[in-house]
Amino acid sequence: MFTSNRPVRQVLIASSHPLFAQGLRSLLQARHGMDVSVVGVVSSLSEAIAAIDRLNPDLVIVDYDDQALNRDEFLARFVEGEKKLRVVLLSLQSGGEALVYDRRTLSASQIDNWLEEWTLSEQSSKGSQRNQADGLRRNLEKNAHNRSMDMKRYVHLAIAAVLVVVIAVLLMQVLTVSNLLPVAASEQAKPIDSLFDIEFKVISFLFSLIIVFMVYSVVVFRRKKGDTSDAAHIEGNTTLEILWTLAPLATVLYFAYLGGASLADTLKPDDFPLEVKVVGQQWSWRFIYNEGQADEFQTTELILPVDRQTLLHLISNDVIHSFWVPEFRVKQDALPGGEDFVRDLRITPNKVADYKVRCAELCGTSHAFMESPVKVMTKADFDTWFASQTGESADPVERGAKVAQLFACTSCHSQDGSALIGPTWKGLFGNEIKLADGSTVTANDEYLYESITNPNAKIHDGFQPNLMPQNFSTTMSEKQILDVIEYIKSLK
Ligand code: CUA
């Protein structure tokens, strides 16, 4: 430990008992030989101060059991005072063992060196054989002691582990039962709620892990009455440090993946969503249906059909607002700045009920009151409401007749069975139709849809291709096409 090329260590002994100084001197001599040199012995604080200035020792060893010396004063003077010096309080009285009482000025490894040195060399003057036997006996006792310490440690760990699991499960129950989230009323709420579910579980476990270990330590390992000893010095644990770095890293990465996947789920588009423009302004919401079309209309409450995706186009007239219906879970800012700053939000309500949209972005004095009703209706109720707003009939057949006129379908397709440029619609639906290529096809919904959007696909026997406009799939809305089909079906 102390190699010969090290400088000689200067030790000052503070004790009023000559025997202490003598014993310590011979101990140091036996153990360290020329490496350690006792530069002086003092018996009071004032002597020590004078000796330190004069001799500049590396270490001051104070006789812990010396009543004549005030060891607290010593420590106050040398440990906390202006002269930073290594001071060790040493007792040679307790059952043949050397005890070092104060470690404030030595590093852990230094103190361990000192302890080891003292313990093993303390009886070296009594002959090396006796010393070896003693050392062996002490080692055996030490091992037995260590084993029982290990056992105790495992018992503590086992109790703490059981407590962690129990508290975590209880917390999970509490979080589940206490209904922290409002009712989930949209398809987009599902991935978000399952994410919440996993997060609540992990939160419960982590909370339990930290609190149980902390409270257990505070209660079980609290200082016992009369115990003035120092706690064990622990240097660190590489395995533990690697573990508690990698485990949170893996957890956070896993949640990043789950978050990304859930976000993608909430953005999934459906075919033919209902499109509604949402205008936020201080401090109200406005909803525009059929934007840009002849039958555009506006409302101050948002009416949505159940089980059909609504694609909201959000915009603001002034500052940033945020569209939020907690039951739908998803949320989106409405930004000022015009058409370039339109933001989309997809919601597929799945429960018929009344909700409320609120603004989730601080936007001025009445931000808290920026609310509007949201009503989710059955498809039939929604259609009726929608028709009443546009002034159009709720009956698809009636609407289809109008569309057929509007797009001039009826100038080529009769409704009374007479043949014009195109086949008549009367009695068409459900018929077996002979095609120009000699095959037959049933005039069902798919056939009618295809014949409107792609007229040359199947040419009715006896009629010419390319006479019908090829672009109804873009000029007519999906709804208009379906309405026309309903009208054709009604012509029996
Ligand atoms: Cu708009 Cu807050």
Side-chain angles (χ1 to χ4, degrees), residues 281 283 285 319-322 359-364 367-368 370:
Q281 61 187 62
W283 287 273
W285 297 101
V319 297
I320 299 175
H321 303 277
S322 185
C359 178
E361 182 71 55
L362 186 60
C363 57
H367 154 73
M370 191 170 158

Side-chain angles (χ1 to χ4, degrees), residues 18-75:
L19 274 175
F20 179 90
Q22 212 179 316
L24 191 55
R25 201 191 281 266
S26 60
L27 248 161
L28 287 167
Q29 190 68 40
R31 186 65 198 174
H32 302 290
M34 299 303 290
D35 288 337
V36 176
S37 134
V38 177
V39 291
V41 179
V42 293
S43 55
S44 73
L45 183 60
S46 53
E47 274 181 43
I49 293 165
I52 283 163
D53 282 342
R54 196 158 31 89
L55 303 166
N56 192 27
D58 298 307
L59 181 73
V60 181
I61 299 177
V62 181
D63 184 354
Y64 181 84
D65 308 301
D66 188 346
Q67 304 293 325
L69 282 175
N70 185 338
R71 56 176 185 255
D72 289 337
E73 222 172 75
F74 247 88
L75 282 176

Side-chain angles (χ1 to χ4, degrees), residues 92 97 103 137 141 222 225 241 262 333 347 350 412 424 429 435 442:
L92 292 176
E97 272 189 89
R103 325 179 145 183
R137 179 177 53 78
E141 282 170 2
R222 68 185 183 282
K225 243 187 187 159
E241 280 173 31
S262 306
D333 278 3
I347 297 168
N350 56 16
C412 301
T424 184
F429 186 74
L435 299 181
T442 308

